[in-house]
Amino acid sequence: MSLAAPPLPETNPLREGLEQERVPDASCLVIFGASGDLTHRKLLPALYSLAHDGLLPAGQTIVGFARPDYTDEAFRADVREACDKFARTRPVDEAIWTNFAKGLFYVRGDFNEPEAYNRLKQKLEECDRSRGTGGRRLYYLAVPPTFFPVISDFLGAEGMVTDPEKGGPYTRVIIEKPFGRDLASAKELNRVAVTTFRERQVFRIDHYLGKETVQNLLVLRFANGIFEPFWNRQYIDHVQLTVAESIGVEKRGGYFDTAGITRDIVQNHMLQLVSLIAMEPPVAFEADAIRDEKVKVIRALRTLPVDRQSEFVVRGQYDDGSVLGDKAAAYKKEVNVPADSRTETCVALKAFIDNWRWADVPFYIRAGKRLPKRVTDISIHFRPAPSPLFRRVQGVHVQQNVLAIRIQPDEGISLKFDSKVPGPTVRSAPVTMEFRYATSFGAEPPEAYERLLLETMLGDSTLFARRDEVEAAWSWLDPLLAAWGKGGDPALYHAGTWGPPEADLLLERDGRRWRRP
Ligand code: BG6
């Protein structure tokens, strides 16, 4: 008997994966805040790319709702411009565009104008008749959270929300972060959301969960036999997570100054990454089974000892400097940022997950703006091998093996280990085994918003934050944020550096170093 090698795949595996997706039923997707930046840069281009890839159902309808006085035609021209500039699947294909544009409509209105909801309701009913959307509704609130209550109240009062318990066509609402700025405000937002909708109708977007590389964390951990046996405190020395951005706050100084990087990135994106890296295997590959395990991780985070901040946290703010060769001005000089701002643009913190698997394994987390480059990276640092064998061999230094998961850019995974340098003497040097998405799959992964929008149409909430996850994350950070609110200044760092030197000391004191991604 001879063993034949498995046949090579004839088609692109990424494409095959997409083809296995279910195609949802056509619905009306209403975008509140249709004239905003998020809609223009992310949502509309993502919807077009879904159409381009054949993943939108025939009849899918998109209704923009905003204040400017647009016609359907003017809205279509605006969408076209957004797709030309930002769609992953550029240049726009004329045939696909023509068909896609037929499903674009616009309703002008103020969020607190009852008449506007009437006009919207009529437009949606017209679309049900002409485009076969069957009463199915998705309401995307691409608006600041202050508008959630008024929009959801009106939708409820105008009879535009169905109750899933009673059957019939679905209504779902999609909301964007920030989900509050502390535990109390998050609870209030959640209370408002579930006054009009049931929790399973609410889709809270954390766009990190739409990234391919983030979704791959579950496959990496639970679909491979080799990693999980070592995925615990017996073998892992520590874990590092970095979300670095080279950009500053751009035009969002007003918002950012009331938030800071901890609210903007750590509370949501980074804690989602921590929970996926640290969670126990779920009992099923289903939304609630997965989210049940994720929330347990957040709940197990050790209470931060806020009276001893220097032991576990460093906050920084960028000063003048240069990033990627260009001069960059201090945060305090950014538009809409007060000259005496104390908001942190960089944070480094040491966290522990007090459960059986992770007891006493530090998770070092850092996020920052105006760092040297844009990179999101998770690294698992394994305990070194016992070294007696090589203790007296000068050229061999037993080091930690590192599994590095590059979330973005240059998406991939590498494993660092030591190897003998060829030659007559015994010397070792670190080498890496590499997996690159671009090389293995030969295609650019879809944008996070493409995947997330499709999931809302399919009604799968696996990739969305559940109410208890959001509240648990705020519960953990609240004491720290409250302490910062009372005073103290962030340490300054030059734009284009890896944060204040104290961020390095945080690890050096533990005999460790940040990985330079
Ligand atoms: C957003 C933050 O949620 O994420 C921004 O509000 C940040 O401040 C952005 O720039 C980063 O997203 P990405 O996908 O570029 O890593």
Side-chain angles (χ1 to χ4, degrees):
M1 191 178 82
S2 69
L3 285 177
L8 288 170
E10 282 169 15
T11 52
N12 178 335
L14 189 63
R15 185 66 236 162
E16 265 176 25
L18 290 176
E19 278 158 7
Q20 284 162 17
E21 302 267 4
R22 289 170 294 144
V23 175
D25 291 327
S27 59
C28 285
L29 165 65
V30 181
I31 305 181
F32 290 91
S35 55
D37 203 46
L38 175 76
T39 309
H40 194 76
R41 282 172 172 268
K42 297 285 183 191
L43 305 185
L44 296 168
L47 287 161
Y48 167 76
S49 292
L50 285 173
H52 175 275
D53 285 354
L55 295 169
L56 277 194
Q60 179 61 40
T61 299
I62 296 150
V63 181
F65 182 102
R67 230 174 281 161
D69 201 1
Y70 279 0
T71 57
D72 287 345
E73 279 318 312
F75 181 56
R76 286 174 191 154
D78 190 58
V79 179
R80 174 64 195 245
E81 191 199 313
C83 297
D84 283 336
K85 260 202 203 149
F86 300 113
R88 172 182 59 87
T89 51
R90 291 189 313 262
V92 168
D93 177 297
E94 291 307 328
I96 295 170
W97 167 258
T98 306
N99 198 33
F100 179 70
K102 285 184 192 148
L104 297 171
F105 302 92
Y106 185 80
V107 172
R108 197 205 66 76
D110 236 303
F111 299 138
N112 38 30
E113 177 199 345
E115 248 321 288
Y117 290 86
N118 252 312
R119 287 198 295 275
L120 176 63
K121 194 173 174 184
Q122 277 170 28
K123 177 70 93 177
L124 298 179
E125 286 167 0
E126 252 170 66
C127 291
D128 284 340
R129 289 189 291 274
S130 61
R131 298 190 49 83
T133 42
R136 289 174 287 274
R137 304 283 183 261
L138 288 160
Y139 299 121
Y140 200 122
L141 309 194
V143 296
T146 40
F147 291 112
F148 291 0
V150 62
I151 297 175
S152 56
D153 279 358
F154 269 116
L155 291 174
E158 296 295 327
M160 297 168 76
V161 178
T162 55
D163 183 346
E165 302 292 303
K166 298 195 177 134
Y170 66 73
T171 304
R172 298 177 189 140
V173 65
I174 306 159
I175 53 183
E176 273 286 338
K177 66 177 264 273
F179 310 122
R181 61 182 323 277
D182 54 18
L183 180 60
S185 51
K187 280 189 165 165
E188 176 55 17
L189 274 178
N190 283 330
R191 189 196 61 74
V192 167
V194 297
T195 309
T196 308
F197 302 92
R198 291 184 190 267
E199 173 62 26
R200 67 184 154 107
Q201 293 175 286
V202 182
F203 289 70
R204 293 178 193 78
I205 293 243
D206 182 313
H207 79 279
Y208 264 57
L209 293 177
K211 293 182 191 275
E212 275 295 327
T213 40
V214 174
Q215 291 163 41
N216 188 37
L217 293 174
L218 290 187
V219 176
L220 172 80
R221 288 191 53 199
F222 302 128
N224 293 296
I226 59 167
F227 299 116
E228 201 54 23
F230 304 104
W231 213 262
N232 58 53
R233 65 190 302 278
Q234 315 292 346
Y235 299 95
I236 294 178
D237 175 74
H238 74 281
V239 178
Q240 296 186 16
L241 294 100
T242 296
V243 174
E245 292 181 277
S246 53
I247 54 169
V249 293
E250 303 196 295
K251 293 180 191 148
R252 299 162 70 226
Y255 149 75
F256 191 88
D257 202 62
T258 62
I261 200 81
T262 313
R263 287 188 173 91
D264 189 44
I265 300 269
V266 177
Q267 187 273 342
N268 38 74
H269 308 326
M270 294 204 82
L271 289 186
Q272 287 290 341
L273 296 179
V274 168
S275 59
L276 289 166
I277 280 290
M279 69 190 269
E280 294 303 313
V283 291
F285 200 71
E286 284 167 8
D288 276 329
I290 292 174
R291 297 187 299 178
D292 286 347
E293 295 306 330
K294 279 166 56 196
V295 73
K296 283 187 205 162
V297 173
I298 308 294
R299 288 204 185 115
L301 282 164
R302 186 181 297 172
T303 306
L304 297 170
V306 285
D307 48 338
R308 303 193 309 272
Q309 285 185 38
S310 60
E311 288 176 19
F312 74 91
V313 69
V314 173
R315 54 179 159 154
Q317 187 190 77
Y318 60 84
D319 200 353
D320 294 331
S322 83
V323 183
L324 302 167
D326 291 327
K327 276 198 169 165
Y331 173 70
K332 290 191 180 86
K333 298 180 193 157
E334 299 274 15
V335 181
N336 293 331
V337 171
D340 59 352
S341 171
R342 293 174 34 236
T343 300
E344 84 289 358
T345 59
C346 158
V347 66
L349 91 97
K350 174 161 77 165
F352 290 96
I353 299 168
D354 279 340
N355 65 14
W356 193 260
R357 185 189 285 260
W358 295 112
D360 298 325
V361 175
F363 280 66
Y364 297 101
I365 297 172
R366 67 175 165 174
K369 303 246 178 219
R370 286 286 189 226
L371 300 188
K373 52 164 121 164
R374 174 177 185 253
V375 61
T376 297
D377 178 280
I378 303 172
S379 52
I380 317 290
H381 299 246
F382 291 90
R383 288 181 189 280
S387 54
L389 183 61
F390 291 114
R391 197 169 288 150
R392 283 193 209 89
V393 182
Q394 269 192 353
V396 178
H397 306 285
V398 173
Q399 297 183 45
Q400 289 184 345
N401 298 137
V402 180
L403 182 74
I405 303 165
R406 294 189 304 275
I407 301 291
Q408 65 189 22
D410 186 22
E411 290 80 359
I413 298 175
S414 65
L415 178 65
K416 188 180 100 175
F417 56 96
D418 281 316
S419 174
K420 180 181 171 302
V421 179
T425 51
V426 180
R427 271 197 311 128
S428 71
V431 292
T432 48
M433 282 199 306
E434 274 285 337
F435 150 58
R436 285 203 144 83
Y437 275 78
T439 321
S440 298
F441 296 119
E444 209 183 321
E447 283 275 327
Y449 275 98
E450 293 173 36
R451 179 64 194 257
L452 295 175
L453 282 161
L454 187 64
E455 295 298 310
T456 61
M457 294 175 193
L458 291 164
D460 187 333
S461 44
T462 310
L463 301 179
F464 298 84
R466 204 169 58 184
R467 175 182 187 162
D468 52 354
E469 287 179 81
V470 173
E471 292 181 6
W474 281 121
S475 289
W476 183 62
L477 281 170
D478 248 15
L480 179 64
L481 296 170
W484 285 353
K486 287 188 197 135
D489 285 311
L492 292 179
Y493 61 97
H494 289 297
T497 64
W498 286 100
E502 291 87 336
D504 292 331
L505 282 178
L506 190 68
L507 272 72
E508 282 164 20
R509 278 202 308 262
D510 296 345
R512 302 183 175 106
R513 280 180 23 208
W514 287 109
R515 208 177 86 80
R516 288 279 179 254

